[in-house]
Amino acid sequence: MDLAGVFMYNSIHAYGTEVNEMDEKDKRIKELEQQVAELNERIAFLTSKLFGKKTEKTRRLQEDDRQLDLFDLEEEQSEKTEDSKEASVKSYTKKIRKKNRKIDTSKIPVEIVNHVMPDEKCSCPKCCARLVQVANPKIREEVKFIPAKLRLLEHHQAVYKCPECSSDDHSKISKAPMPRSLISHSKTGSPSIIAHIAAMKYVYKVPCYRQEAMWKLRGLPLTRQQMSKWMIDVFNNQLSPLYDLLLKELKRQRFLHVDETPYNTLASEKANTYYWVVTSGKFEEKNIAAFTHSDGRSSDTAKKLLSDFNGYVQTDGYAGYNFLDRTRHLGCLAHVRRYFVDSLKNSSYKASKSFSGE
């Protein structure tokens, strides 16, 4: 091979090497651009989670719409408004309705308060004759609040004996029926007191230490330790059979909702404990909701709650429910839709074929 051939061979080889290097660089650039785009989308997603709107509501249907949007595409709507033409809108008169602020008081017992003249003023200022009442019209109505009162009930049990069957050596004694006390040997642990404490604590979220101050102002010095012990004793002795009956009735139904939520408990070593709730379906004849407290979120609690249940169970897709049969485990469309809403918040969804319809 002559010198010109060697030079030509080297030039072609160098050119091929440069082309290969350029292809590798272009490929690397595309990979880096894709990686940057993914990182930008991730940053935008996390930023929207921190500072963006939390709502997942969609826009209202317009008159010319044919289908409801599943996702709130605000950017798409803003682009359409920029290219849209001006259109005249017919004016209309909006009828302003007066808000009915009247509160229904028909279920409140009525007490009539008569305002009459005192005897020393019930005389005519001119002739001093005694005035005669001619009317008693109703002037106004007002609702009176009567604060709760405490009463000490002394239970006396009547004792009877038969005068015919009784003798000096033997007497047959009978006692009148009397309801058992809710808390044995407790004067203050009456059903009405415990029911009020439970309603304030679990319905109105008033803790025991605040109720302690409230009871003290009413003249009954109950301690928070005493109230907490009553709640535990009443559940273990009286309400535990009722709770078991509710779970039994739930397992007889054909459809259940199950969910769990974190709950901060001071007595637990963990940061969060969990409340599990099992509820009946919307169209079930008996609407029941049963709550269970657990230290963790493992599937052991779900297995215990759903044991011997052969119906359908709807959850949010948490992996703790994977032990359920797939033919009986139903998903939640609201949670499925949430992933689509989150994915549409980035800037690259319009480039996808699923969005453009191509």
Side-chain angles (χ1 to χ4, degrees):
M1 182 179 292
D2 56 358
L3 184 60
V6 174
F7 178 76
M8 182 64 69
Y9 174 79
N10 293 334
S11 299
I12 294 174
H13 180 72
Y15 176 75
T17 304
E18 291 179 0
V19 170
N20 292 333
E21 290 179 355
M22 292 295 294
D23 292 340
E24 291 294 332
K25 290 180 179 179
D26 291 340
K27 184 178 179 180
R28 181 58 179 167
I29 289 173
K30 289 182 179 180
E31 292 178 355
L32 293 175
E33 288 178 348
Q34 183 179 0
Q35 185 178 0
V36 170
E38 292 177 356
L39 292 175
N40 287 333
E41 290 180 7
R42 187 172 299 179
I43 293 173
F45 172 73
L46 295 176
T47 304
S48 65
K49 283 292 184 181
L50 289 174
F51 308 106
K53 295 181 179 179
K54 304 299 182 182
T55 180
E56 297 177 2
K57 294 181 179 179
T58 56
R59 64 181 181 85
R60 285 188 177 183
L61 275 175
Q62 303 296 330
E63 294 181 359
D64 56 345
D65 285 344
R66 294 291 184 267
Q67 182 179 355
L68 176 64
D69 288 341
L70 293 178
F71 316 109
D72 192 7
L73 308 179
E74 297 181 355
E75 297 181 2
E76 178 190 3
Q77 298 301 325
S78 61
E79 290 181 0
K80 286 184 178 180
T81 54
E82 292 178 0
D83 299 335
S84 60
K85 298 180 180 179
E86 294 183 357
S88 60
V89 181
K90 294 183 180 179
S91 61
Y92 65 97
T93 303
K94 183 178 180 181
K95 184 178 181 181
I96 301 177
R97 297 182 179 180
K98 294 182 179 180
K99 295 182 180 180
N100 187 11
R101 299 182 179 275
K102 188 176 181 180
I103 300 176
D104 184 17
T105 58
S106 59
K107 297 181 180 180
I108 301 177
V110 178
E111 179 182 352
I112 299 176
V113 180
N114 293 315
H115 300 274
V116 297
M117 281 277 199
D119 293 337
E120 60 272 12
K121 294 184 178 181
C122 193
S123 58
C124 180
K126 292 184 178 181
C127 62
C128 296
R130 186 170 182 81
L131 300 178
V132 178
Q133 182 177 347
V134 295
N136 190 22
K138 183 177 70 173
I139 304 301
R140 72 174 189 272
E141 293 179 345
E142 62 182 19
V143 179
K144 181 181 179 181
F145 175 73
I146 302 176
K149 298 180 180 179
L150 296 176
R151 290 183 180 179
L152 182 62
L153 302 182
E154 294 184 354
H155 293 269
H156 295 254
Q157 188 177 24
V159 182
Y160 302 88
K161 74 173 184 177
C162 178
E164 301 294 335
C165 300
S166 300
S167 61
D168 296 336
D169 298 333
H170 177 73
S171 298
K172 188 175 182 180
I173 302 298
S174 299
K175 295 182 180 181
M178 179 178 169
R180 295 176 57 186
S181 59
L182 187 61
I183 303 295
S184 300
H185 310 291
S186 177
K187 181 189 297 187
T188 54
S190 63
S192 58
I193 294 290
I194 294 178
H196 181 76
I197 293 172
M200 295 294 290
K201 178 176 175 61
Y202 299 107
V203 179
Y204 301 105
K205 307 302 181 183
V206 181
C208 289
Y209 76 91
R210 292 185 181 178
Q211 294 192 50
E212 181 180 7
M214 296 168 63
W215 285 112
K216 187 176 181 180
L217 292 175
R218 293 173 179 172
L220 189 64
L222 299 178
T223 63
R224 65 191 75 178
Q225 294 82 3
Q226 191 175 21
M227 289 185 282
S228 299
K229 186 177 183 301
W230 284 345
M231 297 296 102
I232 297 174
D233 292 342
V234 169
F235 178 81
N236 291 332
N237 300 328
Q238 281 82 15
L239 297 181
S240 182
L242 177 60
Y243 177 78
D244 296 337
L245 179 61
L246 291 177
L247 285 179
K248 187 176 180 180
E249 290 294 331
L250 278 171
K251 293 179 181 179
R252 291 179 180 176
Q253 299 181 358
R254 63 183 183 89
F255 178 80
L256 292 178
H257 296 278
V258 184
D259 196 10
E260 74 289 336
T261 184
Y263 192 83
N264 189 7
T265 306
L266 297 178
S268 177
E269 297 179 355
K270 297 182 179 181
N272 284 325
T273 58
Y274 285 86
Y275 265 107
W276 299 68
V277 58
V278 182
T279 62
S280 55
K282 181 178 180 181
F283 301 102
E284 295 291 345
E285 182 179 357
K286 296 180 180 179
N287 292 325
I288 303 173
F291 292 84
T292 300
H293 182 260
S294 176
D295 287 337
R297 202 187 178 192
S298 65
S299 59
D300 296 337
T301 305
K303 291 178 181 179
K304 182 179 178 181
L305 291 174
L306 299 175
S307 62
D308 302 329
F309 178 68
N310 298 321
Y312 297 93
V313 180
Q314 186 176 31
T315 67
D316 57 359
Y318 169 54
Y321 304 105
N322 290 341
F323 67 92
L324 295 170
D325 186 3
R326 291 188 177 182
T327 59
R328 300 187 297 110
H329 189 190
L330 307 179
C332 177
L333 292 179
H335 287 78
V336 172
R337 178 182 178 275
R338 187 170 299 164
Y339 290 100
F340 286 96
V341 172
D342 292 338
S343 64
L344 293 178
K345 290 180 180 179
N346 60 66
S347 59
S348 63
Y349 71 90
K350 293 184 179 181
S352 64
K353 294 182 179 181
S354 60
F355 180 79
S356 60
E358 296 179 356

